[in-house]
Amino acid sequence: MASLRRLSPRPLQFAGVGGNLMKREGLVSEFPMEDIAVMGVAELLPHLVRIWVRLRQTVTAVMDFRPHVVVTVDAKGFSFRVLRSITDAYRRLGVSRPPLVHYVAPSSWAWKGGENKLKNLADTLDHLLCILPFEAALFKAHGIKATYVGHPVLEDAFTSVAVCTSWCLSPLASVADTQNVYLLKLGCLLTTYSTGENPAHCRWWIKGSKSCSRQDFGLQSAGSTVVCVLPGSRAQEVKRMLPLFESALDLLADKVPMLTAIIPTAPSHVITDAVTEAVKSWKTPNILLPYASEKDKYSAFAASDVSLCTSGTAVLQLQMARVPTVVAYRAHPLTEWLIKSRTKLHYISLPNILLDSPVIPEALFADCTPQRLFTLLCQVLEDSEVKEQQAKAAEQVLSMLVPPQQSVLESTGSLCSVENVFDWRPSMAAASTILTLLQIDKT
């Protein structure tokens, strides 16, 4: 939304459904986004009526707003039904509909027979904004207009929440080796970057002072072990994962002295209330960061020795901060069975998928037990080679997620410059694609 405003030659008005960050950009959400934040087949069933009501409410709001473009984000089950309903509504009125854009491509490439479901997607939307480097070519091969715009996790490096963003010409370079390095001190947080480089070749790294961050949290800078616990951003994930994480930390506390857990919660009252209630009975000392901002989260990362994380986008954020990580995931037994029977993948976390290697240890489904999590946490804490492998993997993965130069060139115009590192934001490439689509539609 911010990048659309920056690039658009005209004032913009937004309407729709979104979370706190979108609200800060001026969106008045039609309803709480948590109402449709459900993942998994079995998990979905108890919420079908509510989600159907919200779907109809969304379509009605779109028709009342009469937008120049409709952009849906992720949640393909909900989003694609909304887009098809909008098309039907405009057809009944006998008028042409606005362009329909979907941001975050469906992971059809991950499922057996997934590409067969792409046959009618071109009739559902006009353009697909892809966040993984191989996706655009796949969808174009099936007649779907698509653009790779880079992964949104890289946006964290451009905001004031960045603890320390270091841009280097190669993974071997250090800040001291670069020219034109600027530093902006924000309390105990530092943001650094070097200019005049192609960000596709930069080192994407949000790095903070461990001692400074621990001091902020009232922790000893030496002698203590800090685990960052990320139980997920959906209510059913938190309910399922937190008891497992609690038991694993109890086992770890018997081996590791002065153990503390830092728990940033998603900026949702549903998630925050659930986590707050659950950790009241924990034996392991913990620091709760309710409604954690991105700044809070990266401060917690900087203070941590290791992270125990439910599979999701947070894994990439931990790579941005170079925090050694263990990934865990459990779901309803029916959902787990469906995933295991239908997936073509060997891994669940994106870094492992992109590298086709188990660089980040994963404990999945029936293997996700407190004992297994404890074993993996010990391995990551004690084995320096494992930590080094994860750090190297982060360099590779994050460099793969940068918007391609062509997308950046298309978004520059008179406002931006390829030499300016701040114009290499995935949101700029996405916004440019949307505005270009609007221009084509008008002609």
Side-chain angles (χ1 to χ4, degrees), residues 55-56 59-60 63 78-92 100 124:
L55 190 152
R56 302 314 309 163
V59 175
T60 300
M63 300 306 294
F78 184 86
S79 295
F80 290 172
R81 285 175 174 83
V82 167
L83 295 179
R84 286 193 288 267
S85 297
I86 290 171
T87 297
D88 291 342
Y90 274 93
R91 186 181 295 121
R92 286 193 297 270
L100 306 179
T124 301

Side-chain angles (χ1 to χ4, degrees), residues 274-314:
V275 175
T276 302
E277 186 62 31
V279 301
K280 286 179 181 178
S281 60
W282 279 26
K283 298 176 185 176
T284 303
N286 59 84
I287 298 171
L288 188 67
L289 303 180
Y291 305 98
S293 65
E294 295 303 292
K295 178 179 177 180
D296 294 332
K297 190 182 293 185
Y298 278 99
S299 294
F301 294 169
S304 300
D305 297 292
V306 68
S307 176
L308 181 55
C309 178
T310 298
S311 179
T313 304

Side-chain angles (χ1 to χ4, degrees), residues 108-119 138 141-142 344:
S108 55
W109 45 268
W111 305 101
K112 297 172 184 176
E115 294 184 15
N116 296 331
K117 296 185 177 182
L118 301 180
K119 295 177 182 177
L138 169 67
H142 286 81
K344 296 192 292 186

Side-chain angles (χ1 to χ4, degrees), residues 38-47 236 240 329-336:
V38 181
M39 186 172 67
V41 177
E43 292 86 344
L44 179 66
L45 294 176
H47 308 285
Q236 75 266 29
R240 208 175 294 275
Y329 192 72
R330 290 234 59 170
H332 188 281
L334 175 58
T335 302
E336 291 185 358

Side-chain angles (χ1 to χ4, degrees), residues 255-274:
K255 181 175 182 179
V256 177
M258 299 177 64
L259 180 69
T260 302
I262 297 182
I263 314 169
T265 73
S268 154
H269 72 88
V270 175
I271 302 301
T272 297
D273 290 350

Side-chain angles (χ1 to χ4, degrees), residues 17-263:
V17 180
N20 289 337
L21 293 178
M22 293 174 72
K23 291 175 184 176
R24 290 176 197 169
E25 289 295 330
L27 180 73
V28 178
S29 185
E30 288 293 323
F31 52 81
M33 195 170 66
E34 294 88 348
D35 284 2
I36 57 173
V38 181
M39 186 172 67
V41 177
E43 292 86 344
L44 179 66
L45 294 176
H47 308 285
L48 279 177
V49 173
R50 184 187 72 227
I51 291 174
W52 183 86
V53 170
R54 292 309 196 192
L55 190 152
R56 302 314 309 163
Q57 182 179 348
T58 302
V59 175
T60 300
V62 170
M63 300 306 294
D64 290 342
F65 187 63
R66 299 289 178 171
H68 290 92
V69 62
V70 176
V71 182
T72 52
V73 183
D74 208 359
K76 66 180 179 66
F78 184 86
S79 295
F80 290 172
R81 285 175 174 83
V82 167
L83 295 179
R84 286 193 288 267
S85 297
I86 290 171
T87 297
D88 291 342
Y90 274 93
R91 186 181 295 121
R92 286 193 297 270
L93 291 174
V95 297
S96 59
R97 59 165 176 75
L100 306 179
V101 182
H102 184 69
Y103 196 173
V104 184
S107 54
S108 55
W109 45 268
W111 305 101
K112 297 172 184 176
E115 294 184 15
N116 296 331
K117 296 185 177 182
L118 301 180
K119 295 177 182 177
N120 300 321
L121 192 55
D123 297 327
T124 301
L125 49 85
D126 297 300
H127 209 94
L128 194 59
L129 303 179
C130 303
I131 65 172
L132 299 179
F134 57 84
E135 290 179 323
L138 169 67
F139 288 100
K140 286 178 181 177
H142 286 81
I144 301 160
K145 295 179 181 178
T147 301
Y148 172 50
V149 296
H151 198 287
V153 73
L154 300 182
E155 293 286 320
D156 293 354
F158 295 98
T159 66
S160 61
V161 309
V163 181
C164 172
T165 307
S166 169
W167 310 92
C168 302
L169 287 172
S170 75
L172 298 178
S174 66
V175 174
D177 297 325
T178 63
Q179 296 179 349
N180 302 324
V181 177
Y182 298 85
L183 297 102
L184 171 65
K185 189 162 185 180
L186 307 169
C188 284
L189 306 181
L190 285 176
T191 301
T192 74
Y193 61 91
S194 56
T195 60
E197 305 165 15
N198 182 331
H201 305 136
C202 287
R203 191 180 191 186
W204 295 80
W205 188 5
I206 299 178
K207 181 183 180 184
S209 165
K210 177 173 288 190
S211 60
C212 190
S213 296
R214 289 192 174 189
Q215 182 180 347
D216 289 343
F217 292 122
L219 297 169
Q220 293 187 18
S221 59
S224 60
T225 299
V226 179
V227 180
C228 186
V229 176
L230 299 164
S233 58
R234 297 177 176 87
Q236 75 266 29
E237 289 176 339
V238 171
K239 182 179 179 180
R240 208 175 294 275
M241 301 308 298
L242 266 183
L244 295 170
F245 290 177
E246 176 189 8
S247 298
L249 292 178
D250 287 344
L251 294 173
L252 189 64
D254 292 336
K255 181 175 182 179
V256 177
M258 299 177 64
L259 180 69
T260 302
I262 297 182
I263 314 169

Side-chain angles (χ1 to χ4, degrees), residues 7-19:
L7 291 175
S8 175
R10 300 178 181 177
L12 298 177
Q13 184 178 358
F14 296 101
V17 180

